């Protein structure tokens, strides 16, 4: 287990009053820290370390969006690409099961005196990115496809033309 790396991160999180829990698995240690996105879900930041030799830390954000249907995936993927093009430090992707994740990595050679603070900085940057850009995901998910918008517009225009050609008249009230 990469106890040293995990301990360095927990020390920094303790100094910055970040709530977290340490999870020890067979060949993996991770720190689990939650965050409530403004106007969105609670996501989980996982700081994973599998190496005892270096400070190799993977940061993953889970809980952004789940079970995206196949027909909605292109729009959600566009939202991921939009965030990736606008923001640095984290990359967002849609997996084969329709789940959106965020990811970042600390360089494997990060020194012991920086691994905790760098992990804290990635946590804060992830929060800032989600607070600023999370709305792209529900906008993409709930947006109306272009074909439906065109059909609605065409139906509205046809109804207006029909009203123009066949005006509705209301007889005046008699007193």
């Amino acid at each position: 287990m990469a106890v040293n790396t995990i301990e360095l991160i927990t020390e920094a999180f303790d100094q910055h009053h970040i709530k977290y829990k340490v999870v020890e698995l067979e060949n993996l240690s991770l720190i689990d820290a939650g965050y409530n996105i403004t106007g969105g879900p609670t996501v989980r930041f996982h700081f994973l370390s599998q190496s005892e030799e270096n400070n190799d830390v993977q940061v993953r954000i889970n809980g952004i969006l789940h079970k995206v249907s196949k027909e909605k995936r292109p729009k959600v993927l566009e939202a991921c690409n939009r965030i990736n093009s606008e923001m640095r430090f984290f990359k967002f992707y849609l997996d084969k099961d329709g789940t959106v994740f965020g990811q970042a990595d600390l360089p494997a050679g990060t020194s012991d005196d920086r691994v905790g603070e760098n992990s804290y900085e990635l946590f804060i940057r992830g929060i800032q990115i989600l607070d600023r850009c999370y709305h792209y995901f529900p906008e993409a998910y709930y947006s109306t496809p272009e074909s439906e918008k065109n059909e609605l517009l065409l139906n509205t225009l046809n109804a207006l033309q029909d009203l123009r050609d066949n005006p509705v008249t209301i007889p005046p009230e008699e007193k």
Side-chain angles (χ1 to χ4, degrees):
M1 300 285 180
V3 176
N4 186 42
T5 302
I6 295 299
E7 286 177 1
L8 294 169
I9 297 170
T10 60
E11 287 173 12
F13 279 22
D14 288 343
Q15 288 175 347
H16 293 286
H17 309 288
I18 303 298
K19 293 181 182 179
Y20 64 88
K21 68 179 177 181
V22 176
V23 178
E24 296 288 342
L25 303 172
E26 190 173 316
N27 60 349
L28 173 75
S29 298
L30 71 90
I31 295 172
D32 176 13
Y35 175 69
N36 297 319
I37 299 172
T38 303
T42 299
V43 294
R44 310 303 306 177
F45 282 76
H46 290 162
F47 295 80
L48 304 102
S49 181
Q50 294 177 299
S51 173
E52 293 181 31
E53 287 82 42
N54 58 40
N55 293 325
D56 180 16
V57 178
Q58 302 172 39
V59 185
R60 302 295 179 258
I61 305 173
N62 304 301
I64 298 170
L65 201 59
H66 301 282
K67 297 181 182 177
V68 177
S69 65
K70 290 189 189 291
E71 50 275 354
K72 297 204 181 255
R73 289 181 188 185
K75 287 287 190 186
V76 172
L77 189 56
E78 285 178 24
C80 290
N81 290 339
R82 182 175 177 187
I83 295 171
N84 291 343
S85 70
E86 291 178 11
M87 307 305 284
R88 296 173 47 208
F89 305 106
F90 275 87
K91 294 301 171 197
F92 294 85
Y93 66 95
L94 180 65
D95 77 356
K96 64 179 175 60
D97 297 322
T99 302
V100 175
F101 293 96
Q103 73 176 26
D105 294 287
L106 258 62
T110 302
S111 64
D112 285 355
D113 63 326
R114 290 302 312 157
V115 72
E117 283 302 312
N118 289 0
S119 295
Y120 169 73
E121 181 180 349
L122 280 175
F123 181 65
I124 297 304
R125 289 190 185 275
I127 288 170
Q128 292 168 340
I129 291 167
L130 290 170
D131 276 345
R132 181 172 170 196
C133 298
Y134 173 77
H135 66 94
Y136 295 164
F137 293 117
E139 286 170 3
Y141 188 83
Y142 294 109
S143 68
T144 305
E146 218 38 59
S147 60
E148 287 181 32
K149 287 180 186 176
N150 291 339
E151 185 179 340
L152 180 61
L153 181 59
L154 184 58
N155 290 342
T156 303
L157 287 174
N158 287 336
L160 288 171
Q161 286 174 343
D162 190 45
L163 280 173
R164 181 195 65 204
D165 297 339
N166 305 304
V168 176
T169 56
I170 300 173
E173 284 187 31
E174 293 183 29
K175 291 187 182 183

